[in-house]
Amino acid sequence: MKSLIRISLLISAAFTACAPTARFEETEATGMIWFKGVTHTHARPGETDTTVQAAAMWYKERGYRFLVITDHDTVVFPAAFTEMEDSSFLPIPGEEITAIGGGIDVEISGLNIRKSVPRVTGESVPAALSRSIALVREQGGVPVYNHPNYQWRLGAMDIAAVEDCRLFELFVGFPGVNNEGDSLHPGMEQAWDSLLTAGKRLYAVASDDAHVYRRLSADLPNPGRGWVAVLARRLDAAEILSNLDRGLFYSSTGVVIERLRVSSRRIEITVRDAGDSRFVTEFIGPAGRVLKRTADNPAAYTLSGPETYVRARITDEQGRRAWIQPVFVNR
Ligand SMILES: [Zn+2]
């Protein structure tokens, strides 16, 4: 009997030594709900066919909860916009900022800033971006890399070289921004995978970059194509932006997520089922490898191997998508 106890103690000690210690980073999201919003769109007369008020009304009437209008090189926050705030809708100030690095124009959004960030000229794209991003952060704002593949101006190597910006546009509704890449350039999702695999913490935004509101056509930059839903306790600019900046959101071109649960070893995603579509959820790990593909709803993934992060992409029958941000693994 004595030796039996001894053996079982040994077995339990061995089991403890081999027990997996890898865990998903969990985020405390108790009491948080989803707030849908857009972080990049336009309303400047001459550049668009709308006004700030009409553009904001377009979003408000369709159930968007917050909006940042990001005209070029000017902060958009006039009374016509702020006066539309109520318990259902939050206007947030912002700007699309140009930075010029080595003669190349690149653009970022500055979200929740009050003062226009001047055009920065630098000897390289990363140098100019770093300075512009610092100027956004100095105001307590949140920066986003805008349409990196537009005219192939902002490559993954540039993004890898810059600190302090964790958001980029994976999908933009503006035609011609090359979301999918081409035969010579990686698409934004592929670029994201390579940066994540290299250890960069980067979260993917979907946005509209809308300019044309009155005439709807696939080849025009119309609103309603890309948005984010941020987890927060209340509709407050500081909380929404802070949670966006730490990846507490998903991006979408039409798929709606009902619930996202992350525990130490499991991710579970519940898609809102409108009853007329089927979904495929893909869990994706380093190097863009699809770890699991399932039509289950909820879809679940259990941490099982050497993954350093796991993200997810949901696609419906119409090709609409949602992207869940990477959940990183601590070992
Ligand atoms: Zn823009």
Side-chain angles (χ1 to χ4, degrees):
M1 189 63 195
K2 208 172 180 182
S3 66
L4 257 182
I5 291 168
R6 195 178 158 78
I7 287 165
S8 81
L9 280 174
L10 279 171
I11 289 169
S12 107
F15 181 77
T16 307
C18 295
T21 55
R23 302 169 63 90
F24 283 125
E25 273 181 20
E26 292 170 75
T27 312
E28 178 51 55
T30 309
M32 291 189 183
I33 58 168
W34 300 107
F35 291 98
K36 176 180 178 177
V38 160
T39 56
H40 178 188
T41 198
H42 292 271
R44 198 204 298 265
E47 211 177 308
T48 69
D49 64 355
T50 190
T51 61
V52 166
Q53 197 172 19
M57 194 52 83
W58 192 98
Y59 287 99
K60 185 175 182 175
E61 285 177 348
R62 286 161 180 80
Y64 290 75
R65 305 296 305 277
F66 69 91
L67 178 68
V68 194
I69 298 176
T70 47
D71 283 337
H72 292 277
D73 303 307
T74 179
V75 169
V76 181
F77 211 45
F81 191 24
T82 59
E83 283 165 3
M84 292 173 75
E85 178 174 348
D86 58 25
S87 61
S88 75
F89 184 74
L90 177 69
I92 297 175
E95 171 183 27
E96 187 163 21
I97 299 158
T98 309
I100 306 162
I104 300 169
D105 283 18
V106 286
E107 285 159 337
I108 61 168
S109 281
L111 310 178
N112 208 18
I113 57 172
R114 301 294 178 125
K115 216 167 68 188
S116 180
V117 169
R119 284 180 174 228
V120 171
T121 304
E123 59 188 22
S124 66
V125 165
L129 281 173
S130 296
R131 184 71 193 126
S132 301
I133 286 162
L135 292 170
V136 171
R137 293 282 187 200
E138 271 173 26
Q139 293 190 49
V142 170
V144 186
Y145 297 115
N146 287 357
H147 36 59
N149 267 355
Y150 176 57
Q151 299 184 344
W152 317 113
R153 290 177 184 177
L154 181 55
M157 298 287 277
D158 296 318
I159 292 175
V162 178
E163 299 295 326
D164 219 15
C165 182
R166 295 183 278 277
L167 301 166
F168 78 101
E169 289 182 332
L170 171 82
F171 172 89
V172 186
F174 194 103
V177 295
N178 302 307
N179 295 317
E180 307 288 338
D182 69 4
S183 59
L184 296 175
H185 304 86
M188 287 318 305
E189 203 160 349
Q190 207 184 331
W192 189 24
D193 283 325
S194 66
L195 285 158
L196 289 171
T197 305
K200 192 91 176 165
R201 286 204 176 214
L202 210 53
Y203 304 116
V205 168
S207 77
D208 276 339
D209 198 2
H211 290 63
V212 178
Y213 292 73
R214 292 185 188 168
R215 202 153 54 88
L216 301 184
S217 170
D219 59 354
L220 293 173
N222 296 143
R225 293 179 181 163
W227 41 271
V228 292
V230 182
L231 277 173
R233 290 196 171 81
R234 59 202 172 97
L235 191 55
D236 167 79
E239 186 177 340
I240 294 278
L241 269 296
S242 155
N243 289 359
L244 185 77
D245 201 30
R246 57 196 188 104
L248 275 185
F249 70 101
Y250 70 88
S251 293
S252 180
T253 57
V255 172
V256 177
I257 305 297
E258 200 81 63
R259 199 174 57 218
L260 170 64
R261 276 190 176 151
V262 178
S263 59
S264 61
R265 297 188 63 79
R266 187 178 147 94
I267 301 171
E268 187 185 285
I269 301 162
T270 308
V271 179
R272 181 176 301 168
D273 190 352
D276 56 353
S277 192
R278 283 203 299 264
F279 312 97
V280 172
T281 299
E282 292 163 290
F283 292 93
I284 300 166
R289 199 160 69 87
V290 176
L291 305 167
K292 180 178 177 181
R293 183 180 278 116
T294 176
D296 292 350
N297 189 24
Y301 182 80
T302 302
L303 186 58
S304 53
E307 310 92 325
T308 50
Y309 70 88
V310 178
R311 66 179 185 87
R313 174 178 63 207
I314 300 99
T315 309
D316 75 6
E317 284 176 313
Q318 284 78 46
R320 294 175 298 199
R321 286 191 155 157
W323 293 270
I324 303 291
Q325 305 307 322
V327 183
F328 296 94
V329 178
N330 290 328
R331 288 175 194 280

